[in-house]
Amino acid sequence: MKRAGLLVAVATAAAIGLSGCGGGADGASAAGTELTIQASPVADYAALYVGIEQGMFAAQGLNVKSSVGQSGAATVAAVMSGEIAVGGSAVVPLINASARNVPVRLVAPAGTSADGDKDYIGLVVAPDSKVAGPADLTNANVAVNGLKSFLELVTRKAIDTAGGKSEGTKFLDMPNSEMQRAVQRGQVDAAVMNEPFLSQAKSAGLKVIGFPNKAVSKDLLVSGYFVSEQYAKQNPQVIQKLQTAFAAAQDYANEHPDEVRKILETNSKVAKGSLQQVQLPRYVKNIDKSVLDDTITTMKQYGFIEKPVKADDFLLGAS
C-alpha cells in the first residue's frame, strides 16, 4: 500500500466519524448473520471463496458475500467506516494502520509463503537480462504494485541480504497486469510479481531470479483478514465463528489445490484452464505472532513505520 493511500483511508474514516463501526449493510437475517468480506480475487484469499462455495461459513450461521476492493486503502476505509464488516489485506498496510492509531484487528490468516522455488511471489527479469540474482538489483528500476508496499519491503530485504544495496534501487508503482509488458519492453529492469501473474510471465519466457519472501521469514504471513476494533468488541461470537470457518476453509484449500485453482479462475474471471500451473500459497490456520514481529522489525529497518508497534497491538488470537 502507498503511504499516501493509507493516509486517505485514515482521513476517510475520521471524516465520517465512524472509525471502528462494523454495521453498515451487514446484520442479522433469517439465513443467519450477514457479512460482506472484501478482498482481491487472488490466491491469498482462496479460503474466502472456498468457504462460501463449500459451506464453511454457512455451517457457522454466517451468510457471507464477497466484494472486490480497488486497493488496500479502500478496503481499510470501507472496514473502518462500517461499510463492510471484514476485509482482506496484506499485513504491511495493517501494521502501517496500527502504527497510525487506526484500530484495525487481524482475526485470521490468509496467504503464507511457500518453501523454496514453490513460492507464489517472485522477482522476474527479461530472458536476456544480465541480472542473475537480487544483489544485482542495486541501482535498478523495479516494478511493484504499490510504493511502501509488502512487495517493496520483501524485495529491499532480499537485495540487501544477498549483498546488494537497496538504497540505490528505484521502485516504480505499477499494476500487476502491466508488469510483464514493462519488463519485456525494457521499461523496468525487474518486477516483483505474485500469482497468477508470475506463472503468466514464466510462460512468456521471463526469468525468475529469486523469491524475496524468505529474506524476511521462511514462514512469512503475507496477508490476512481484519475487522475494526469496535466490531470485534461488539461481535465476539461472530469473530469466533469467522475464525472457525476460515480455519476449515484454509484446511480445505491446502488439501484441494486443483479445486482452489478452479475457484480462483471463476472469481478472477480469467480464461478456463489458465491457472493450472499457478503456485499457491500455504494456507495456515493460526497466526504466529513471532512471524509478524519479523515483519514489523523489517518495516522499522526500512523506515516503513515511524511509531513503534507490536503484533499484540492489532492481533486477535495470536499463537
Side-chain angles (χ1 to χ4, degrees):
M1 173 186 289
K2 302 176 190 177
R3 180 171 294 185
L6 180 58
L7 291 174
V8 171
V10 175
T12 300
I16 60 180
L18 289 173
S19 178
C21 292
D26 300 327
S29 74
T33 301
E34 295 185 353
L35 295 174
T36 298
I37 302 179
Q38 187 174 102
S40 299
V42 295
D44 289 72
Y45 308 111
L48 168 58
Y49 305 105
V50 166
I52 293 173
E53 294 195 16
Q54 296 297 322
M56 284 80 171
F57 296 114
Q60 295 298 317
L62 304 175
N63 182 15
V64 170
K65 297 180 180 179
S66 66
S67 68
V68 177
Q70 297 303 312
S71 67
T75 299
V76 170
V79 169
M80 299 311 298
S81 71
E83 178 184 346
I84 58 172
V86 188
S89 173
V91 298
V92 165
L94 299 181
I95 295 169
N96 256 320
S98 182
R100 297 176 189 281
N101 298 317
V102 180
V104 295
R105 293 295 180 265
L106 182 60
V107 298
T112 296
S113 59
D115 295 329
D117 60 0
K118 294 183 179 181
D119 203 5
Y120 70 115
I121 296 174
L123 285 163
V124 175
V125 299
D128 59 350
S129 173
K130 295 182 180 179
V131 175
D136 297 328
L137 294 176
T138 301
N139 299 323
N141 295 322
V142 180
V144 292
N145 68 342
L147 302 181
K148 296 294 183 181
S149 64
F150 179 90
L151 297 185
E152 179 181 337
L153 179 72
V154 295
T155 302
R156 284 191 181 277
K157 185 67 173 179
I159 292 170
D160 293 340
T161 300
K165 294 183 177 180
S166 68
E167 62 187 24
T169 305
K170 183 178 181 180
F171 290 90
L172 304 175
D173 184 6
M174 185 176 296
N176 286 309
S177 58
E178 297 179 12
M179 290 183 183
Q180 178 179 316
R181 185 179 302 177
V183 172
Q184 291 170 325
R185 292 181 175 179
Q187 296 170 335
V188 294
D189 300 300
V192 194
M193 306 180 76
N194 56 10
E195 293 289 12
F197 304 98
L198 180 60
S199 289
Q200 293 170 0
K202 290 191 289 186
S203 296
L206 273 63
K207 181 172 59 175
V208 179
I209 61 164
F211 299 90
N213 284 344
K214 62 183 180 181
V216 177
S217 173
K218 67 180 181 67
D219 298 310
L220 188 62
L221 178 65
V222 177
S223 53
Y225 302 95
F226 72 99
V227 299
S228 69
E229 179 184 47
Q230 186 169 336
Y231 186 90
K233 288 181 177 179
Q234 293 178 344
N235 301 276
Q237 292 183 337
V238 173
I239 296 300
Q240 185 176 17
K241 291 177 179 179
L242 270 174
Q243 290 174 326
T244 299
F246 272 126
Q250 295 275 91
D251 265 348
Y252 188 95
N254 276 328
E255 295 170 0
H256 301 85
D258 290 337
E259 188 167 342
V260 167
R261 293 182 177 96
K262 291 179 182 178
I263 290 173
L264 289 173
E265 281 180 4
T266 300
N267 287 280
S268 60
K269 297 179 173 59
V270 298
K272 185 177 181 180
S274 62
L275 302 186
Q276 290 181 354
Q277 303 303 316
V278 163
Q279 296 284 4
L280 297 174
R282 290 186 297 123
Y283 301 105
V284 300
K285 295 192 296 183
N286 300 303
I287 297 173
D288 186 341
K289 186 165 59 176
S290 67
V291 173
L292 283 177
D293 287 335
D294 288 340
T295 301
I296 292 170
T297 298
T298 306
M299 290 177 70
K300 290 178 181 177
Q301 177 184 353
Y302 291 103
F304 277 45
I305 52 176
E306 298 176 0
K307 176 186 172 183
V309 63
K310 298 180 296 183
D312 284 332
D313 294 337
F314 61 93
L315 179 60
L316 292 178
S319 61

